[in-house]
Amino acid sequence: MKKLTSTPKQDGFRMPGEFEEHDGCWIIWPERPDNWRLGGKPAQHVFVKVATVISEFEKVTVCVSNAQYDNARNMLPDNIRVVEMSNDDSWIRDCGPTFVTNGEEVRGVDWSFNAWGGLVDGLYFPWDKDDHVARKVCEIERKNRYRLDDFILEGGSIHVDGQGTLIVTEECLLSEGRNSHLSKEEIEDVLKEYLNLEKIIWIPRGIYNDETNGHVDNIIHYVEPGKVILAWTEDKNDPQYEICQEAYKILSNSTDAKGRKLEVVKLMLPANILITKEESQGVDGIDGTLPREEGDRLAASYANFYIANGGVVFPTFNDPNDEIARKTLQSCFQDRKIVGIYAREILLGGGNIHCITQQQPKSKK
Ligand code: KQY
């Protein structure tokens, strides 16, 4: 398939909103023992649940290493396609292609990936297999792709409305380990060209202690154009409180690319979740990989959900706010089935349901 030298904006392609009808969903199987406890076994069961639930709504493909191929194929239901693909870990939202469409054809944007900060504050080394994932997915799906060799970006660090607006965090996009050779304006120019945007809304920070330098997908989520969900706490003693307040102020005073004032829906956070001794002891300690220490606070948030055709799949944590989150999501997505999945095991790996999924838009060719 072709590597294109033009840009999506020049060619009339845009990144659709996640709430738009799409063709399918991609996932990568978890296995690395220095990120997932017990060699990924507990997480694999949760990935099976996530993939199975999403497959009730749309096509699902799971990418898996050669070593885990048979195990994954046996654990996943038959309606899920399983393809062998080398990878460094299972965060396809971040290393997979960002798909763009012109309504007829779908293409991939293949950003450079450096494991959330490269040698500055990245989470593992090396990451070259992950950096090839977008290209391989595009080959399998026969999609041409735009490749950016000099621009680091993860899919979890962007949320679009599909109508010209993007929301990002400064904490992530201006972090030293990503594109520190570029100014904020230059970063905006690249994003506008490759996602086909008119307006970028910057909020300062993401969820407290999020190892991705505050990915936007853990703190907000577009419901529809003009309406966003924002993770929320009323606990003034929590460092998250200030973060939510500043994001709320900016979002609720913002207009989008179409001039709409944003409606902001608050989605209560769960109580703080800490790594237990047993969980910490189940993870291999390897130089160069972020350690998982007992007592570390995890970046838990219900905003890290996935919007399927006809459904919303959200993480639960055995917390009283699980039910409140379900109700908030149901009121936002009235025509979709809301499905909660107990996702502590994904959280222990450093992300959640949105981070392990990548959507592929519908295409006519
Ligand atoms: O997008 C994400 N939240 C992925 C986090 C990766 C963590 C790797 N240990």
Side-chain angles (χ1 to χ4, degrees), residues 35 91 94 116 123 211-212 215 292 349-351 355:
N35 190 58
W91 309 99
D94 293 343
W116 309 275
L123 301 179
E211 63 198 52
T212 61
H215 266 190
R292 304 259 169 237
C355 319

Side-chain angles (χ1 to χ4, degrees), residues 3-292:
K3 182 163 100 174
L4 303 159
T5 51
S6 51
T7 71
K9 192 169 217 167
Q10 289 165 354
D11 299 340
F13 283 67
R14 65 173 182 106
M15 181 183 176
E18 192 179 318
F19 42 79
E20 293 180 41
E21 173 99 2
H22 48 274
D23 207 32
C25 174
W26 288 74
I27 290 176
I28 301 176
W29 190 249
E31 65 175 288
R32 64 180 291 155
D34 56 341
N35 190 58
W36 301 102
R37 73 188 187 103
L38 310 177
K41 290 300 151 206
Q44 287 171 5
H45 289 281
V46 187
F47 274 57
V48 168
K49 276 192 197 140
V50 173
T52 305
V53 169
I54 297 175
S55 75
E56 287 167 23
F57 301 106
E58 61 203 42
K59 287 185 279 182
V60 175
T61 302
V62 175
C63 306
V64 57
S65 72
N66 172 281
Q68 277 289 310
Y69 186 89
D70 285 344
N71 179 44
R73 181 59 286 173
N74 289 338
M75 287 178 69
L76 289 158
D78 289 346
N79 66 332
I80 292 177
R81 174 171 70 162
V82 181
V83 299
E84 184 180 325
M85 192 178 290
S86 324
N87 61 80
D88 296 298
D89 205 354
S90 45
W91 309 99
I92 199 164
R93 173 70 56 182
D94 293 343
C95 65
T98 297
F99 286 110
V100 290
T101 178
N102 66 357
E104 290 282 315
E105 181 188 347
V106 168
R107 295 177 177 172
V109 179
D110 178 4
W111 317 97
S112 284
F113 177 81
N114 73 352
W116 309 275
L119 298 181
V120 176
D121 59 354
L123 301 179
Y124 49 71
F125 176 87
W127 51 77
D128 54 303
K129 295 191 188 77
D130 280 349
D131 195 29
H132 274 79
V133 166
R135 179 178 191 173
K136 291 176 179 175
V137 170
C138 288
E139 282 293 327
I140 291 171
E141 288 296 327
R142 307 193 65 75
K143 306 297 180 211
N144 293 323
R145 104 202 126 96
Y146 303 91
R147 166 70 184 178
L148 294 90
D149 283 323
D150 298 321
F151 192 80
I152 304 289
L153 192 95
E154 304 99 42
S157 70
I158 53 174
H159 257 311
V160 295
D161 67 355
Q163 298 185 356
T165 315
L166 169 73
I167 306 179
V168 292
T169 69
E170 291 175 343
E171 180 186 355
C172 182
L173 269 80
L174 305 184
S175 65
E176 197 198 331
R178 290 184 173 80
N179 300 298
S180 48
H181 58 296
L182 299 177
S183 67
K184 187 173 182 179
E185 291 66 35
E186 288 168 329
I187 290 173
E188 285 209 344
D189 289 345
V190 175
L191 294 170
K192 284 181 175 166
E193 219 35 63
Y194 283 84
L195 298 171
N196 201 345
L197 309 165
E198 274 80 54
K199 173 132 191 195
I200 302 179
I201 300 172
W202 295 80
I203 58 173
R205 294 177 283 173
I207 292 290
Y208 177 74
N209 220 25
D210 186 328
E211 63 198 52
T212 61
N213 309 95
H215 266 190
V216 78
D217 71 342
N218 214 14
I219 186 162
I220 70 132
H221 213 122
Y222 256 110
V223 174
E224 60 192 38
K227 185 168 180 178
V228 291
I229 274 175
L230 170 65
W232 193 252
T233 178
E234 297 285 356
D235 180 359
K236 292 197 168 127
N237 297 315
D238 192 309
Q240 186 61 47
Y241 182 82
E242 282 300 321
I243 299 174
C244 294
Q245 293 286 326
E246 63 193 12
Y248 184 79
K249 235 176 253 160
I250 290 171
L251 292 170
S252 56
N253 286 307
S254 291
T255 49
D256 64 17
K258 300 278 182 219
R260 287 175 291 240
K261 205 165 156 26
L262 284 186
E263 178 185 348
V264 184
V265 177
K266 295 171 180 169
L267 180 65
M268 294 307 292
L269 284 156
N272 294 342
I273 298 180
L274 310 182
I275 302 180
T276 66
K277 184 174 180 184
E278 188 195 350
E279 288 165 346
S280 165
Q281 285 176 341
V283 182
D284 291 1
I286 301 280
D287 282 350
T289 302
L290 186 77
R292 304 259 169 237

